[in-house]
Amino acid sequence: MFNIKALRRNKTVKYGVPMLLLVVGGSFGLREFAQIRYDSLKIKRKLDPSLEAKVNIERQPVILEEEYERIKDLKLDEWKNIRGPRPWEDSKEYQDQQRSNQNKRH
């Protein structure tokens, strides 16, 4: 018959069994949490049928010649890089200032 005091002093029972339970139980728990994550991603990915139809229409193959003809007419020489407002700047005020500076140059 087992002696309870002897089991309490046994290092395998004292440290090994809880560690084994933690590792095995943790893997099952982690699997459940990961499954919740993937299920929520699956729900978020579902699109409205009308929006999905629009997305599928836009996935037609791109023909280089057609893209060249479309881009050829753009006036790229008149393009100017204008930086956006910084987080601490008022965006409306900064945009108005950039527009007024651009109008003065033309």
Side-chain angles (χ1 to χ4, degrees), residues 46-84:
K46 290 184 180 176
L47 294 176
D48 184 37
S50 62
L51 181 62
E52 190 172 359
K54 288 180 183 178
V55 169
N56 289 337
I57 289 172
E58 292 176 6
R59 290 190 180 178
Q60 294 174 351
V62 177
I63 299 173
L64 289 177
E65 288 80 11
E66 291 176 5
E67 283 297 309
Y68 174 73
E69 292 298 325
R70 188 177 64 83
I71 294 175
K72 181 173 65 170
D73 297 331
L74 296 176
K75 298 176 183 177
L76 296 177
D77 294 336
E78 296 175 10
W79 179 80
K80 183 173 190 292
N81 188 14
I82 300 174
R83 81 165 174 86

Side-chain angles (χ1 to χ4, degrees), residues 19-70:
M19 183 65 178
L20 187 63
L21 288 173
L22 182 68
V23 170
V24 173
S27 69
F28 284 110
L30 186 61
R31 184 188 65 172
E32 293 300 319
F33 283 114
Q35 188 63 41
I36 292 170
R37 176 182 174 195
Y38 294 129
D39 289 343
S40 68
L41 285 176
K42 211 180 276 186
I43 291 170
K44 285 182 183 177
R45 285 189 181 163
K46 290 184 180 176
L47 294 176
D48 184 37
S50 62
L51 181 62
E52 190 172 359
K54 288 180 183 178
V55 169
N56 289 337
I57 289 172
E58 292 176 6
R59 290 190 180 178
Q60 294 174 351
V62 177
I63 299 173
L64 289 177
E65 288 80 11
E66 291 176 5
E67 283 297 309
Y68 174 73
E69 292 298 325
R70 188 177 64 83

Side-chain angles (χ1 to χ4, degrees), residues 2 4 15 17 57 87:
F2 289 107
I4 294 178
Y15 299 110
V17 172
I57 289 172

